[in-house]
Amino acid sequence: MPEMRFHVLWPDGRREACYSPSLVVQDFLTPGESYALADFVEKSRTALTIASERVREKYGFACSSALDQLARIESAAERQAPGGRVTVETFDL
């Protein structure tokens, strides 16, 4: 199963490399685009949940790494100022 990293710039200036066990993230996020904080979290939640389910379909168990990444995204989002935007910088395929 192809995995990827998507690199984001948080509103507070911090950069993060985020992991996905599937390329499905490409269906929800676009490099060079910025997203309202809530929109980024929702798109990430949807993509990483799908990615985890793809792992379940193939291997019989959910992907804990995808779910852990989602938890890190949600936690980071809570620390951001309201109204901030998250920029998706690049994908590493």
Side-chain angles (χ1 to χ4, degrees):
M1 177 166 277
E3 60 185 33
M4 68 176 293
R5 296 206 182 275
F6 53 107
H7 299 264
V8 301
L9 175 62
W10 290 97
D12 65 4
R14 188 176 60 85
R15 288 184 159 83
E16 181 175 1
C18 301
Y19 171 79
S20 172
S22 167
L23 302 180
V24 71
V25 170
Q26 295 177 105
D27 295 340
F28 294 89
L29 301 172
T30 302
E33 293 290 323
S34 70
Y35 300 88
L37 193 57
D39 189 34
F40 173 76
V41 171
E42 185 57 35
K43 287 177 181 293
S44 296
R45 181 180 297 119
T46 300
L48 291 170
T49 300
I50 291 169
S52 180
E53 286 305 308
R54 287 183 178 178
V55 170
R56 182 188 308 278
E57 289 170 10
K58 186 167 184 174
Y59 298 107
F61 52 85
C63 180
S64 60
S65 294
L67 300 176
D68 289 346
Q69 180 62 69
L70 175 56
R72 284 191 300 278
I73 287 171
E74 291 171 336
S75 177
E78 290 174 2
R79 295 189 302 269
Q80 304 301 313
R85 297 186 68 80
V86 180
T87 301
V88 177
E89 296 187 306
T90 60
F91 289 160
D92 286 341
L93 307 176

